[in-house]
């Protein structure tokens, strides 16, 4: 290691070098990442800990002081291309790392907001992101920042310079694959999923050596496909044709597009899976494993240890990708997931056993609850869209939630203090019908049409506090436009989330009372984080309106037609007294 020092300061420099050597030499290790939830001086993982509880023990900013919160600085992503900024910042050693729309990465000085470097991925023509050109965040390990691109690559950059260290294709973008999730790093492996569930792709989870990008294991998430370990066959996922007819499993979807969480206690990585392909469920009788499920995968081998399907035989695009958050209650090792289908699930995270499923939205037309013994939904058959006729549209039905979900990608948070989950949810429905469809490489593979509709006069978005013990909503905050940003909760009895109207807001974690808001100038659809620096607590969030809602919102677009695009990092702290 080289270090410039003046002769007279050589003695002090030796001391300084000793104190800062770990950060300068190696950067965060897998052990540091596993400990991220407890280390308040940094944010090293998507989810603020591999379990993604998004809870900080910091309390300098709290229900009493938050009213004084002010901007410390803001930093623009610049460029002509804006669109949705769904990234969660990472903070390490004086630098904030964020990803931006169009597969960009930025490093900013965490004290001043000055830009250190920027990396713009050179994207080919013909990428096929279904739902805006977003990216949800990077991963950090050692000297690397790693992120996924819209052309389905995984790229490792030098965290000090932004220069490429390795770059690997995870799938073929010309077949409709893409990638937007933040990678998960476990035991020196970088673990990612893929996107493309609207194009007849095959969902997969891949683990790679974080230093080289070489594959360690793969696990396809559609029944019938072969997994690998160190390049050798490692067993088929499920049993070919057990839950899929004919050849449809070959283009069966179940994309793992939101990434995963990790529980060191069970050594399991939890990945959710998207809709089965095509949307038209009449073409594929059966449960269509492992679509719309949570999968628990052995971190060392990529073998599926258990699975739980939240929407068997999905017919509404109820992707089950939502984050599965490990938490403990009454001495039990549990996990929770607020599903796109409108139900909040609690499972035994060691074996996938069903504990409970409770509605967290106004309305679920497709099912009347779940059978407590089997953990399967009580379907309302009349509310499944009908089969298409030979030459066209089948019977249209009204369905709620809409395909954009009771909750979409935006991550919830769990407070160890209140024992509550804070769910960014939406109340909306859709008219949906089926149409004939055949698979064609690189073409949309829906076999369905839809129109999204509001179902309440006063709101679409609702931030809801869910008690996992009772399945009851403890409080809710209603928002006119759909909520599309992540949630943060802290030991300061606070819950933070953003709104499309441009605000970052803070609520009392126990009562839901709104305590503070600040308008960032564009819609907030990113995930806020907090950390401590020089004795002060900071909060950061990305601002920049976009994501799937403006693309697919139909009638609900009225609620956000006046919102401008943007692309900025906003950082807040309390004034110094
Ligand atoms: Ca940390
Ligand atoms: Ca989908």
């Amino acid at each position: 290691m080289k270090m410039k020092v003046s002769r007279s300061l050589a003695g002090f420099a030796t001391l300084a070098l000793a104190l800062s050597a770990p950060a300068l030499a190696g950067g965060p290790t897998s052990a540091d990442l596993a400990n991220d939830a407890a280390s308040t001086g940094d944010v090293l993982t998507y989810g603020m800990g591999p379990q993604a509880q998004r809870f900080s023990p910091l309390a300098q900013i709290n229900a009493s002081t938050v009213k004084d919160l002010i901007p410390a600085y803001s930093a623009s992503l610049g460029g002509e291309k804006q669109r949705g900024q769904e990234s969660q910042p990472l903070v390490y050693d004086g630098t904030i790392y964020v990803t931006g729309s169009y597969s960009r990465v930025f490093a900013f000085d965490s004290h001043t907001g000055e830009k250190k470097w920027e990396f713009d991925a050179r994207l080919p023509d013909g990428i096929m992101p279904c739902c805006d050109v977003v990216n949800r965040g990077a991963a950090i390990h050692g000297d690397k920042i790693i992120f996924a691109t819209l052309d389905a690559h995984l790229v490792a950059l030098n965290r000090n310079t932004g220069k490429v260290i390795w770059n690997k294709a995870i799938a073929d973008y010309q077949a409709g694959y893409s990638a937007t999730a933040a990678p998960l790093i476990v035991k020196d492996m970088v673990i990612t999923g893929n996107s493309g569930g609207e194009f007849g792709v095959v969902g997969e989870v891949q683990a790679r050596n974080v230093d080289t990008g070489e594959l360690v294991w793969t696990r396809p998430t559609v029944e019938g496909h072969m997994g690998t370990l160190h390049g050798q066959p490692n067993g088929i996922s499920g049993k070919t044709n057990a839950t899929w007819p004919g050849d449809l499993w070959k283009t069966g979807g179940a994309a793992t597009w939101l990434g995963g969480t990790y529980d060191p206690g069970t050594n399991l990585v939890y990945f959710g899976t998207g809709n089965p392909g095509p949307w038209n469920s009449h073409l594929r009788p059966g449960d269509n494993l492992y679509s719309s499920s949570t999968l628990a995968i052995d971190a060392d081998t990529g073998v599926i240890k258990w699975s739980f399907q939240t929407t068997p035989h999905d017919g509404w695009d109820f992707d089950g990708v939502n984050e599965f958050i490990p938490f403990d209650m009454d001495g039990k090792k549990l996990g929770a997931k607020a599903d796109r289908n409108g139900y909040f699930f609690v499972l035994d995270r060691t074996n996938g056993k069903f504990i409970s499923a409770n509605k967290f939205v106004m309305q679920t037309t497709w099912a009347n609850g779940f059978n407590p013994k089997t953990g399967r939904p009580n379907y309302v058959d009349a509310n499944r869209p009908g089969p298409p006729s030979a030459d066209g549209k089948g019977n249209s039905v009204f369905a709620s939630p809409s395909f954009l979900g009771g909750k979409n990608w935006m991550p919830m948070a769990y407070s160890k203090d209140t024992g509550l989950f804070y769910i960014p949810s939406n109340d909306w429905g859709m008219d949906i019908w089926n149409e004939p469809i055949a698979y064609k490489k690189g073409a949309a593979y829906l076999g369905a049409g839809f129109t999204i509709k509001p179902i309440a006069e006063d709101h679409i978005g609702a931030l809801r506090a869910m008690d996992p013990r009772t399945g009851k909503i403890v409080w809710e905050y209603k928002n006119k436009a759909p909520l599309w940003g992540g949630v943060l909760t802290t030991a300061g009895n606070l819950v933070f989330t953003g709104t499309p109207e441009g605000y970052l807001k803070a609520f009392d974690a126990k009562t839901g009372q709104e305590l503070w808001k600040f308008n960032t100038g564009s819609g907030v659809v990113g995930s806020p984080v907090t950390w401590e620096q020089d004795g002060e607590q900071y909060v950061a969030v990305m601002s920049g309106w976009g994501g799937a809602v403006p693309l697919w919102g139909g009638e609900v677009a009225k609620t956000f037609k006046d919102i401008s695009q943007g692309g900025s990092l906003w950082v807040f702290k309390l004034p110094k007294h």
Side-chain angles (χ1 to χ4, degrees), residues 28 58 86 131 154 180 182 274 306 315 330 363 394 411 434 469 475 497 548:
L58 292 173
E86 294 185 354
C131 308
L154 201 57
T180 54
W306 60 257
D330 305 331
Q363 187 184 41
N434 287 318
R469 185 175 273 104
W475 58 257
T497 199

Side-chain angles (χ1 to χ4, degrees), residues 197-198 257 274-275 279 317-319 340:
E198 273 57 57
W257 58 265
N275 61 284
W279 286 17
D317 189 34
F318 288 155
D319 291 45
R340 188 141 145 177

Side-chain angles (χ1 to χ4, degrees), residues 506-524:
F507 303 88
D508 183 300
K510 294 196 185 84
T511 67
Q513 188 192 349
E514 188 178 313
L515 300 175
W516 173 85
K517 66 177 178 180
F518 179 88
N519 195 310
T520 62
S522 180
V524 176

Side-chain angles (χ1 to χ4, degrees), residues 26-38:
T29 63
S30 291
D32 294 332
L33 270 51
N35 187 48
D36 186 31

